[in-house]
Amino acid sequence: ERIIKFDPAWAYYEHLGTLVDLDTISEGELRVVADGMYGSGRRASGEVLRRTRTRVRNIRHDMNPGFGGIHPEPIARHLGLLMSDIQAGHWDIGLATDGDADRIGAVDSNGVFVDPHRIFSLVLHYLLEKRGMRGTVVRTVSTTRMLDRIARQYDLPLIETPVGFNHIADHILENGVVMGGEESGGITIKGHIPEGDGVLMGLLLLEVMADADAPLHELIDEVLAKYGPAQYKRTDIKLQHPVAKSTMVKMLVDLAPSQIAGVQVEDVQTTDGVKYYLDDGSWLLIRPSGTEPVLRVYAEAADDERVAALLSFGEEMAARA
């Protein structure tokens, strides 16, 4: 009957007053660069934050069906512009969302990329410690074990799923999940939709920073000191010929060693691919892609040298298989 002004971003998040504490954010002035990567999340954070004292600079925020020729994935190698903007303008944080805005990537005030493993861990700890939220933690097989240690600290159950947010959503729909997410940056929390939401996670990062009155890199260091250390890396190996996933998994299980680089293997799981759990808390995952002739090799350990050793062993195992 009448024409009204409709702001999708604000209308979408207005109901999240109990999830995103905008009053907390407005207590301090945060300087944010929001990189929409020409996707559906462009300008969304700024629209939500416009009633606060947060200053937001939007980049790559125009409508561009071709994504400006970039790959709209919020990982380090695609966020050079965001990193340089942060360093040049002395901004507090950079937030990046992918093409459909269900994934999050961040850059701290030093221009250093903050991966989803650290984002997930930091926000989970905050929700449990400061918000008093409780429930099951759900993560995919390729996501950091810092989450396991946080869940154990608060006596919460943790579920490991195959890669793919649909597996996480299944648990969310059964209720009782406080937070769920995956290595690629798709994360959500209790009370929200059963799908990753990069804009929401960016807002929660701002809340964590405002509540602590501390820069992001210091908060990450605190989480790593308490639940880490944890360094992570993934490499992809192209196969000359496609191999059935079940066949590859069987070969990798049959070849499972008793130790890797001098550390005992305490468990082998086949939730998605083959994952070797080591008794020093590190892990190695070899997972055939379900969409292309590629083997993905993931590793997490206390330091970069150990990660490199695990990846090297994983690549040898993949070659043998």
Side-chain angles (χ1 to χ4, degrees), residues 229-299:
Q231 299 300 321
Y232 170 92
K233 192 172 182 180
R234 183 187 104 184
T235 186
D236 293 346
I237 303 171
K238 291 187 177 180
L239 300 174
Q240 292 183 346
H241 306 285
V243 179
K245 192 170 185 176
S246 58
T247 302
M248 180 66 76
V249 168
K250 183 180 184 305
M251 287 190 287
L252 291 171
V253 170
D254 292 342
L255 292 171
S258 60
Q259 59 178 344
I260 299 177
V263 179
Q264 197 72 22
V265 175
E266 63 179 10
D267 192 18
V268 179
Q269 294 289 334
T270 57
T271 303
D272 188 352
V274 178
K275 189 173 185 178
Y276 308 100
Y277 287 93
L278 283 69
D279 63 10
D280 65 349
S282 61
W283 55 267
L284 171 68
L285 170 65
I286 303 174
R287 175 182 164 268
S289 169
T291 58
E292 54 185 328
V294 169
L295 272 183
R296 306 196 192 283
V297 183
Y298 314 73

Side-chain angles (χ1 to χ4, degrees), residues 142-159:
S142 58
T143 308
T144 179
R145 287 188 77 185
M146 285 196 291
L147 302 170
D148 303 50
R149 294 188 276 273
I150 294 172
R152 193 179 307 120
Q153 172 74 23
Y154 290 89
D155 195 27
L156 299 176
L158 181 137
I159 297 174

Side-chain angles (χ1 to χ4, degrees), residues 3 8 11 48 80 84 88 121 132-133 149 153 188 192 217 234 236 238 246 249 292 301 304 314:
I3 298 174
V48 176
S84 60
S121 300
M133 295 174 67
R149 294 188 276 273
Q153 172 74 23
T188 193
H192 195 40
H217 65 87
R234 183 187 104 184
D236 293 346
K238 291 187 177 180
S246 58
V249 168
E292 54 185 328
D304 291 331

Side-chain angles (χ1 to χ4, degrees), residues 12-58:
Y12 185 60
Y13 285 95
E14 192 166 15
H15 74 285
L16 297 181
T18 58
L19 302 183
V20 179
D21 191 345
L22 296 176
D23 292 333
T24 297
I25 294 174
S26 66
E27 289 176 3
E29 291 187 0
L30 284 171
R31 303 176 72 249
V32 182
V33 180
D35 186 353
M37 303 193 85
Y38 303 111
S40 61
R42 61 190 187 281
R43 303 189 185 185
S45 297
E47 291 293 336
V48 176
L49 293 168
R50 64 184 177 181
R51 68 170 178 168
T52 74
R53 287 173 20 221
T54 305
R55 181 180 173 191
V56 180
R57 166 175 160 77
N58 293 299

